[in-house]
Amino acid sequence: MEPLYGPTKDYAWGSRSAIAELQGRPTPSAGPEAELWLGAHPGAPAAVERSGVPVALTEVLADDPVAWLGQPVVDRFGARLPFLLKVLAADAPLSLQAHPDAEQARAGYAAEYGRAAGHRNYADPFHKPELLVALGPMEALCGFRSPDISAPVLAGLGIPELRPVLHALATGPAGLADAVRLLLEWPAARRAGLVAAAGAAVTGPDAELVARLAEAYPDDPGVLVALLLNRVTLVPGEAIWMPAGNLHAYLRGTGVEVMAASDNVLRGGLTPKHVDVGELLDVLRFEVLDEPVVAPRTVADGVVTWPVPVNDFALHRVTVTDRRPEVTLRVPGPRVVLCTSGEVTVSDGVAPVALRSGRAAVGPAGVDSLTFAGAGAAYVASTGEI
């Protein structure tokens, strides 16, 4: 193992305290800190030191991909790290978005190859499933809730223009596609009035959400699309799993996120960026997600995981304490380790690395077991079983 130094993204929705506090730095930070990237994504690779000089992890992997990734990973995913580990810290809502499955990503990227970058929906030929685990209270929208729940909320707005949407929802889950299309294709000249009326009229548990979104996006029909989705508040350790086609948005809070390494995002509102309604509708899965929250599963003393049905990544949390000062974890392939509390020393039997909160390490394939010692907690991202 060796220390890994990740870049921080300064998106406007980011927090000026969460990542700084995690790393023990003064707050508030000079600007918003939205995401800490710990991986080999070409857009913002983390770095390791070589002779006192930072070297991008992408370069290190390119020099000897089999030694770092292992032959099974190279055979399955190519000479690239197939996952990206992040800390996400949101003080304001992110855009509504969804990601394509692997087949859609390959086809979409091939169809758009050669277009100007500004006109592309697909940045690469890879899918982008995601898992987010809350470090503190975390609010999110995740998947469609039953029209039996969302239709009365929209009806309660008393807005005559929404009658076609309500008619679509009256047919049950089969009408979700028409409801989303009608809202997103609302004439631009009439959007501001519609969203403003919604912000003023909504009552009940959705009132605060709609008012907050309408204030930030006064002419964005994504405010009304949000009412079709499950709103969840995660407690630390709970997760949401976002497979392909799942419409979602993070609203507020801090979490550890692991995803397949891709930039493919189809936006569905709450954003000034382009929304390709037709492509989004092709990607979305219009099915009710009854239970969006995933609880941790204990797999060994001091180790929990959140099982996912992909092998691009797996995520474990290891907790060591004074009463349990050492824990061993067996995971395949390359590993990225992030300490989130206390002080933890992680070793792959070759070189131990001492980590304090907010610091990370990376290690190559070839050694199956990691040993953790100290008193604290660490998240371990790896590939799944291949």
Side-chain angles (χ1 to χ4, degrees), residues 93 139 141 205-214 223 226-227 231 251:
E139 293 180 61
L141 301 171
D206 296 299
E208 182 274 334
L209 171 65
V210 172
R212 179 158 40 118
L213 296 180
V223 173
L227 292 174
R231 184 184 182 188
L251 301 177

Side-chain angles (χ1 to χ4, degrees), residues 9 40 94 139 163 168 178 205 219 274 277 282 304 317 353 368:
K9 294 288 193 175
L94 282 67
E139 293 180 61
R163 286 173 184 162
D178 282 341
D219 60 350
H274 177 65
V277 177
D282 285 343
V304 300
R317 186 184 67 220
V353 176
D368 285 343

Side-chain angles (χ1 to χ4, degrees), residues 180-338:
V180 172
R181 177 183 56 79
L182 287 165
L183 290 171
L184 292 183
E185 291 181 346
W186 212 268
R190 297 165 57 196
R191 288 180 178 179
L194 181 71
V195 174
V202 72
T203 59
D206 296 299
E208 182 274 334
L209 171 65
V210 172
R212 179 158 40 118
L213 296 180
E215 180 179 5
Y217 302 99
D219 60 350
D220 192 323
V223 173
L224 296 177
V225 175
L227 292 174
L228 303 179
L229 305 178
N230 293 296
R231 184 184 182 188
V232 298
T233 300
L234 305 176
V235 301
E238 288 184 329
I240 46 176
W241 158 243
M242 287 151 286
N246 178 308
L247 190 60
H248 64 277
Y250 304 121
L251 301 177
R252 184 163 49 198
T254 304
V256 171
E257 185 180 30
V258 63
M259 63 186 65
S262 170
D263 277 333
N264 286 326
V265 177
L266 280 300
R267 292 177 174 83
L270 307 183
T271 177
K273 297 181 180 180
H274 177 65
V275 175
D276 187 327
V277 177
E279 193 69 26
L280 177 69
L281 294 176
D282 285 343
V283 164
L284 287 180
R285 293 180 179 174
F286 294 100
E287 53 195 36
V288 173
L289 182 62
D290 289 320
E291 185 47 71
V293 177
V294 181
R297 178 185 299 177
T298 299
V299 293
D301 191 24
V303 181
V304 300
T305 191
W306 299 263
V308 294
V310 297
N311 57 13
D312 305 68
F313 60 80
L315 187 68
H316 294 80
R317 186 184 67 220
V318 177
T319 305
V320 285
T321 66
D322 292 337
R323 292 183 297 174
R324 187 180 55 237
E326 186 173 290
V327 172
T328 298
L329 173 66
R330 293 179 60 86
V331 286
R335 285 70 57 99
V336 174
V337 178
L338 169 68

